[in-house]
Amino acid sequence: MPSREIVEAFAKHLEDGDFVGAIERFYAADAATHENQAEPMVGRDKLAAKERGVLAAFKEVKAVRLGPSLIAGDNVATRWKFAFTNAEGVTRTLEEIAWQTWRGDELIEERFFYDPKQLAR
């Protein structure tokens, strides 16, 4: 079970824009992420590389936590709002729920639930 301090430190990395650092610091080497029920991507190094690619595609990415992270045993749920600004200055926002499973202080699985239509607006 993750401590409240670890969950808060993870969230702070995202709120500070250190998305890759959050993966490198908190994800287990064999961590997996799932985007809206899609097949998982497995492995911290692959996840960090994917995140670097996402960040490179945008001029700016901001994350804001909407309310507290909820911790129940090894599971953590957090509601996020992300703003993605492209090179032309157009910003698209995405609200999602991140459902995480932790093994002690390591994040081992994360599932993102969101409406992909948000990005088309």
Side-chain angles (χ1 to χ4, degrees), residues 99-118:
W99 179 263
Q100 302 171 334
T101 303
W102 291 72
R103 180 176 52 224
D105 289 340
E106 285 190 311
L107 201 161
I108 60 171
E109 183 181 53
E110 191 165 31
R111 293 178 179 266
F112 305 109
F113 298 96
Y114 56 89
D115 180 357
K117 292 178 187 173
Q118 295 176 85

Side-chain angles (χ1 to χ4, degrees), residues 18-118:
D18 187 13
F19 302 101
V20 174
I23 293 169
E24 293 173 340
R25 163 72 175 86
F26 297 99
Y27 282 50
D30 60 342
T33 65
H34 305 256
E35 295 277 341
N36 271 353
Q37 305 295 327
E39 289 297 313
M41 178 172 276
V42 180
R44 179 178 52 223
D45 293 342
K46 286 183 184 177
L47 297 170
K50 178 184 173 190
E51 193 67 19
R52 283 184 191 94
V54 169
L55 295 171
F58 294 96
K59 180 176 145 184
E60 181 177 58
V61 179
K62 289 186 178 182
V64 176
R65 190 164 37 156
L66 304 174
S69 295
L70 307 176
I71 303 171
D74 292 335
N75 296 310
V76 175
T78 307
R79 183 175 168 211
W80 291 98
K81 183 174 185 176
F82 291 92
F84 300 89
T85 304
N86 66 20
E88 292 78 36
V90 176
T91 301
R92 303 254 192 265
T93 60
L94 173 76
E95 279 195 37
E96 74 176 22
I97 300 294
W99 179 263
Q100 302 171 334
T101 303
W102 291 72
R103 180 176 52 224
D105 289 340
E106 285 190 311
L107 201 161
I108 60 171
E109 183 181 53
E110 191 165 31
R111 293 178 179 266
F112 305 109
F113 298 96
Y114 56 89
D115 180 357
K117 292 178 187 173
Q118 295 176 85

